[in-house]
Amino acid sequence: MGITYEDFLDLDYEPTDEDLVCTFRIDPATGMSTEAAASRVASESSNGTWAALQTGADFTDMGATTFDIDGDLIRVAYPAGLFEPGNMPQVLSCIAGNIMGMKAVDTIRLLDCEWPESVVSAYPGPLYGSSVREEIFGVTDRPITATVPKPKVGLSTAAHAQVGYDAWVGGVDLLKDDENLTDQAFNPFSDRLTESLSLRDDAEDETGEKKSYLINVTADTQTMLDRVDEVAAQGGEYVMVDIITAGWAGLQTVRERTEKHGLAIHAHRAMHAAFDRLPAHGVSMRVLAQVSRLCGVDQLHTGTAGLGKLANEDTVGINEWLAGDLHGATDVLPVASGGLHPGLLPDLLDATGTNVCVQLGGGIHGHPDGTRAGAVALRSAIDAYVEGRAITEAAEETPELAVALDKWGTETPR
């Protein structure tokens, strides 16, 4: 029996409940028909190659099938047996591997995946998901809030922790490291952890509210595990991981260790745009979010629904998927961040709802009266939204919010 490209195209095929179904957008190379390119996508991403192959009795057919073509969209079904259970790097090596560089297509983009229970069940999913609001902070009716000290690198350990304290007492729930702060000489990891958690305790005593810290443990895998252990020993509730740059294997290993300690994972998506920004090629943020949920992050940056300073891909649709049913897997709490300030909160929350984490950096620390005032302004804007009051009404009662609106208004920064 031989295998050729034509064996990977069957427009009469109906996927089974066990198949992983992926949707791609393709632009075939010059001289290549859509059908020919589509068959090559299925072939190269499963068990085919450029030459016709002969197989014998000792062969299990793990070939994928392109079963639907609609213009430039194709759908490919992969048998669950193609994938090693619980091995996300291996899954992605199939569905987003060599095909991204095939000459048969000028561009190819993995848009969406439909994950069968047979694949999903091998992954832990999030430990907490959106329940962090209630389980860690005792909050059920409002977004939780976070801030990154600015400048995001360069502050000493003492200055970093002080910014956290000022934000916490102003009403922010979470201090967060930014993606490129780990263990540099100007602000060592262990010192930053100890001093920040000490001031967190002081802020909790002063406000009577639970506070926490998203410390960035990103490094080689063994160092990340050591840092997770250190955070747990110091009484932290979270770790943060730059999940794209650290890699899915590293994330999966960290997820195993956080389970042991009961820690939540805050996922920063730095480098995601290298995969998803060009609309015709790469891997969509929707798929990256799906993979993140399977691997077990609790909070994930998903954009600002067209507001803020960064380009975003379908924030609302991604958030809905993260909250939806996935064969019983825990949901993920979306994080809105990047160029936000208090004046944007009503439009943001109209789009995302309140089951989110809202993160402001410059929109807090750039307040004319400093970090604490900026935090008060943010909390006032959020409380007003939850109470159904106009932000301008809240500003009449909260001078810090009035100053923020006078400085930034309700426009998106560029």
mmCIF file of all heavy atoms in Angstrom, residues 223-248:
data_model
loop_
_atom_site.group_PDB
_atom_site.id
_atom_site.type_symbol
_atom_site.label_atom_id
_atom_site.label_comp_id
_atom_site.label_asym_id
_atom_site.label_seq_id
_atom_site.Cartn_x
_atom_site.Cartn_y
_atom_site.Cartn_z
ATOM 1 N N THR A 223 15.570 26.461 37.347
ATOM 2 C CA THR A 223 15.542 27.695 38.138
ATOM 3 C C THR A 223 14.111 28.121 38.401
ATOM 4 O O THR A 223 13.785 28.594 39.498
ATOM 5 C CB THR A 223 16.317 28.808 37.414
ATOM 6 O OG1 THR A 223 17.677 28.392 37.245
ATOM 7 C CG2 THR A 223 16.292 30.107 38.204
ATOM 8 N N MET A 224 13.234 27.972 37.416
ATOM 9 C CA MET A 224 11.830 28.308 37.651
ATOM 10 C C MET A 224 11.251 27.461 38.778
ATOM 11 O O MET A 224 10.523 27.978 39.647
ATOM 12 C CB MET A 224 11.007 28.121 36.372
ATOM 13 C CG MET A 224 11.250 29.191 35.328
ATOM 14 S SD MET A 224 9.964 29.275 34.036
ATOM 15 C CE MET A 224 10.266 27.750 33.145
ATOM 16 N N LEU A 225 11.553 26.179 38.794
ATOM 17 C CA LEU A 225 11.035 25.316 39.859
ATOM 18 C C LEU A 225 11.570 25.745 41.219
ATOM 19 O O LEU A 225 10.829 25.765 42.217
ATOM 20 C CB LEU A 225 11.403 23.866 39.577
ATOM 21 C CG LEU A 225 10.795 23.250 38.315
ATOM 22 C CD1 LEU A 225 11.266 21.809 38.155
ATOM 23 C CD2 LEU A 225 9.278 23.318 38.353
ATOM 24 N N ASP A 226 12.848 26.087 41.273
ATOM 25 C CA ASP A 226 13.425 26.565 42.534
ATOM 26 C C ASP A 226 12.732 27.844 42.986
ATOM 27 O O ASP A 226 12.460 28.032 44.186
ATOM 28 C CB ASP A 226 14.924 26.824 42.368
ATOM 29 C CG ASP A 226 15.723 25.549 42.141
ATOM 30 O OD1 ASP A 226 15.195 24.447 42.439
ATOM 31 O OD2 ASP A 226 16.865 25.647 41.651
ATOM 32 N N ARG A 227 12.428 28.726 42.050
ATOM 33 C CA ARG A 227 11.771 29.985 42.408
ATOM 34 C C ARG A 227 10.332 29.761 42.849
ATOM 35 O O ARG A 227 9.838 30.443 43.758
ATOM 36 C CB ARG A 227 11.842 30.960 41.228
ATOM 37 C CG ARG A 227 13.257 31.473 40.982
ATOM 38 C CD ARG A 227 13.346 32.344 39.733
ATOM 39 N NE ARG A 227 14.734 32.801 39.543
ATOM 40 C CZ ARG A 227 15.179 33.459 38.482
ATOM 41 N NH1 ARG A 227 14.346 33.737 37.477
ATOM 42 N NH2 ARG A 227 16.441 33.837 38.405
ATOM 43 N N VAL A 228 9.643 28.818 42.214
ATOM 44 C CA VAL A 228 8.293 28.476 42.666
ATOM 45 C C VAL A 228 8.335 28.011 44.118
ATOM 46 O O VAL A 228 7.511 28.432 44.953
ATOM 47 C CB VAL A 228 7.679 27.390 41.756
ATOM 48 C CG1 VAL A 228 6.398 26.837 42.376
ATOM 49 C CG2 VAL A 228 7.390 27.950 40.369
ATOM 50 N N ASP A 229 9.278 27.156 44.434
ATOM 51 C CA ASP A 229 9.412 26.679 45.813
ATOM 52 C C ASP A 229 9.690 27.834 46.766
ATOM 53 O O ASP A 229 9.143 27.885 47.888
ATOM 54 C CB ASP A 229 10.555 25.667 45.911
ATOM 55 C CG ASP A 229 10.259 24.363 45.185
ATOM 56 O OD1 ASP A 229 9.086 24.093 44.883
ATOM 57 O OD2 ASP A 229 11.227 23.617 44.911
ATOM 58 N N GLU A 230 10.513 28.766 46.335
ATOM 59 C CA GLU A 230 10.859 29.907 47.179
ATOM 60 C C GLU A 230 9.654 30.808 47.417
ATOM 61 O O GLU A 230 9.423 31.279 48.543
ATOM 62 C CB GLU A 230 11.995 30.706 46.529
ATOM 63 C CG GLU A 230 12.541 31.827 47.398
ATOM 64 C CD GLU A 230 13.729 32.531 46.771
ATOM 65 O OE1 GLU A 230 14.194 32.097 45.686
ATOM 66 O OE2 GLU A 230 14.207 33.514 47.355
ATOM 67 N N VAL A 231 8.869 31.034 46.384
ATOM 68 C CA VAL A 231 7.658 31.850 46.543
ATOM 69 C C VAL A 231 6.708 31.193 47.538
ATOM 70 O O VAL A 231 6.149 31.858 48.426
ATOM 71 C CB VAL A 231 6.968 32.051 45.184
ATOM 72 C CG1 VAL A 231 5.594 32.707 45.370
ATOM 73 C CG2 VAL A 231 7.834 32.909 44.264
ATOM 74 N N ALA A 232 6.524 29.889 47.408
ATOM 75 C CA ALA A 232 5.638 29.186 48.330
ATOM 76 C C ALA A 232 6.147 29.273 49.765
ATOM 77 O O ALA A 232 5.372 29.508 50.708
ATOM 78 C CB ALA A 232 5.503 27.726 47.907
ATOM 79 N N ALA A 233 7.449 29.121 49.945
ATOM 80 C CA ALA A 233 8.031 29.170 51.290
ATOM 81 C C ALA A 233 7.881 30.541 51.922
ATOM 82 O O ALA A 233 7.771 30.661 53.155
ATOM 83 C CB ALA A 233 9.506 28.768 51.226
ATOM 84 N N GLN A 234 7.857 31.583 51.088
ATOM 85 C CA GLN A 234 7.737 32.952 51.594
ATOM 86 C C GLN A 234 6.286 33.387 51.788
ATOM 87 O O GLN A 234 6.025 34.497 52.233
ATOM 88 C CB GLN A 234 8.424 33.918 50.628
ATOM 89 C CG GLN A 234 9.927 33.759 50.547
ATOM 90 C CD GLN A 234 10.660 34.653 51.537
ATOM 91 O OE1 GLN A 234 10.048 35.322 52.361
ATOM 92 N NE2 GLN A 234 11.965 34.656 51.462
ATOM 93 N N GLY A 235 5.339 32.541 51.425
ATOM 94 C CA GLY A 235 3.942 32.869 51.643
ATOM 95 C C GLY A 235 3.276 33.579 50.482
ATOM 96 O O GLY A 235 2.249 34.255 50.675
ATOM 97 N N GLY A 236 3.808 33.420 49.271
ATOM 98 C CA GLY A 236 3.160 33.988 48.100
ATOM 99 C C GLY A 236 1.995 33.131 47.638
ATOM 100 O O GLY A 236 1.879 31.961 48.004
ATOM 101 N N GLU A 237 1.143 33.748 46.827
ATOM 102 C CA GLU A 237 -0.003 33.031 46.276
ATOM 103 C C GLU A 237 0.102 32.781 44.776
ATOM 104 O O GLU A 237 -0.640 31.972 44.230
ATOM 105 C CB GLU A 237 -1.301 33.817 46.531
ATOM 106 C CG GLU A 237 -1.674 33.991 47.981
ATOM 107 C CD GLU A 237 -0.976 35.193 48.635
ATOM 108 O OE1 GLU A 237 -0.365 36.001 47.883
ATOM 109 O OE2 GLU A 237 -1.043 35.325 49.868
ATOM 110 N N TYR A 238 1.018 33.491 44.122
ATOM 111 C CA TYR A 238 1.128 33.457 42.666
ATOM 112 C C TYR A 238 2.588 33.337 42.242
ATOM 113 O O TYR A 238 3.499 33.793 42.940
ATOM 114 C CB TYR A 238 0.666 34.784 42.061
ATOM 115 C CG TYR A 238 -0.787 35.041 41.884
ATOM 116 C CD1 TYR A 238 -1.524 35.676 42.888
ATOM 117 C CD2 TYR A 238 -1.442 34.751 40.685
ATOM 118 C CE1 TYR A 238 -2.864 35.992 42.702
ATOM 119 C CE2 TYR A 238 -2.776 35.066 40.489
ATOM 120 C CZ TYR A 238 -3.482 35.691 41.500
ATOM 121 O OH TYR A 238 -4.797 36.009 41.312
ATOM 122 N N VAL A 239 2.754 32.825 41.024
ATOM 123 C CA VAL A 239 3.976 33.066 40.261
ATOM 124 C C VAL A 239 3.559 33.565 38.884
ATOM 125 O O VAL A 239 2.454 33.303 38.415
ATOM 126 C CB VAL A 239 4.851 31.807 40.112
ATOM 127 C CG1 VAL A 239 5.372 31.364 41.457
ATOM 128 C CG2 VAL A 239 4.106 30.684 39.403
ATOM 129 N N MET A 240 4.457 34.314 38.259
ATOM 130 C CA MET A 240 4.235 34.768 36.898
ATOM 131 C C MET A 240 5.248 34.101 35.983
ATOM 132 O O MET A 240 6.420 33.940 36.342
ATOM 133 C CB MET A 240 4.379 36.291 36.823
ATOM 134 C CG MET A 240 4.337 36.847 35.408
ATOM 135 S SD MET A 240 4.623 38.625 35.392
ATOM 136 C CE MET A 240 5.691 38.745 33.942
ATOM 137 N N VAL A 241 4.795 33.711 34.796
ATOM 138 C CA VAL A 241 5.671 33.087 33.809
ATOM 139 C C VAL A 241 5.468 33.765 32.458
ATOM 140 O O VAL A 241 4.328 33.988 32.030
ATOM 141 C CB VAL A 241 5.377 31.578 33.666
ATOM 142 C CG1 VAL A 241 6.324 30.949 32.644
ATOM 143 C CG2 VAL A 241 5.497 30.862 35.009
ATOM 144 N N ASP A 242 6.564 34.101 31.790
ATOM 145 C CA ASP A 242 6.503 34.542 30.393
ATOM 146 C C ASP A 242 6.362 33.278 29.554
ATOM 147 O O ASP A 242 7.341 32.653 29.146
ATOM 148 C CB ASP A 242 7.784 35.285 30.000
ATOM 149 C CG ASP A 242 7.988 36.567 30.789
ATOM 150 O OD1 ASP A 242 6.994 37.142 31.256
ATOM 151 O OD2 ASP A 242 9.153 36.987 30.937
ATOM 152 N N ILE A 243 5.125 32.895 29.276
ATOM 153 C CA ILE A 243 4.865 31.538 28.813
ATOM 154 C C ILE A 243 5.378 31.269 27.399
ATOM 155 O O ILE A 243 5.741 30.136 27.078
ATOM 156 C CB ILE A 243 3.369 31.198 28.900
ATOM 157 C CG1 ILE A 243 2.518 32.167 28.073
ATOM 158 C CG2 ILE A 243 2.931 31.171 30.353
ATOM 159 C CD1 ILE A 243 1.056 31.765 27.988
ATOM 160 N N ILE A 244 5.425 32.280 26.540
ATOM 161 C CA ILE A 244 5.895 32.044 25.176
ATOM 162 C C ILE A 244 7.412 31.895 25.167
ATOM 163 O O ILE A 244 7.962 30.974 24.555
ATOM 164 C CB ILE A 244 5.463 33.185 24.237
ATOM 165 C CG1 ILE A 244 3.948 33.411 24.318
ATOM 166 C CG2 ILE A 244 5.896 32.894 22.810
ATOM 167 C CD1 ILE A 244 3.118 32.271 23.835
ATOM 168 N N THR A 245 8.101 32.804 25.840
ATOM 169 C CA THR A 245 9.565 32.741 25.829
ATOM 170 C C THR A 245 10.091 31.593 26.692
ATOM 171 O O THR A 245 11.129 31.003 26.378
ATOM 172 C CB THR A 245 10.173 34.077 26.295
ATOM 173 O OG1 THR A 245 9.663 34.416 27.590
ATOM 174 C CG2 THR A 245 9.825 35.189 25.314
ATOM 175 N N ALA A 246 9.405 31.256 27.760
ATOM 176 C CA ALA A 246 9.825 30.122 28.591
ATOM 177 C C ALA A 246 9.530 28.797 27.900
ATOM 178 O O ALA A 246 10.235 27.806 28.114
ATOM 179 C CB ALA A 246 9.142 30.161 29.949
ATOM 180 N N GLY A 247 8.486 28.769 27.077
ATOM 181 C CA GLY A 247 8.159 27.559 26.335
ATOM 182 C C GLY A 247 7.095 26.726 27.029
ATOM 183 O O GLY A 247 6.939 26.749 28.257
ATOM 184 N N TRP A 248 6.370 25.968 26.197
ATOM 185 C CA TRP A 248 5.247 25.181 26.736
ATOM 186 C C TRP A 248 5.726 24.052 27.634
ATOM 187 O O TRP A 248 5.055 23.722 28.631
ATOM 188 C CB TRP A 248 4.416 24.637 25.578
ATOM 189 C CG TRP A 248 3.909 25.716 24.671
ATOM 190 C CD1 TRP A 248 4.294 25.970 23.382
ATOM 191 C CD2 TRP A 248 2.963 26.740 25.000
ATOM 192 N NE1 TRP A 248 3.642 27.071 22.883
ATOM 193 C CE2 TRP A 248 2.815 27.567 23.858
ATOM 194 C CE3 TRP A 248 2.219 27.047 26.138
ATOM 195 C CZ2 TRP A 248 1.956 28.666 23.825
ATOM 196 C CZ3 TRP A 248 1.366 28.143 26.105
ATOM 197 C CH2 TRP A 248 1.233 28.937 24.964
#
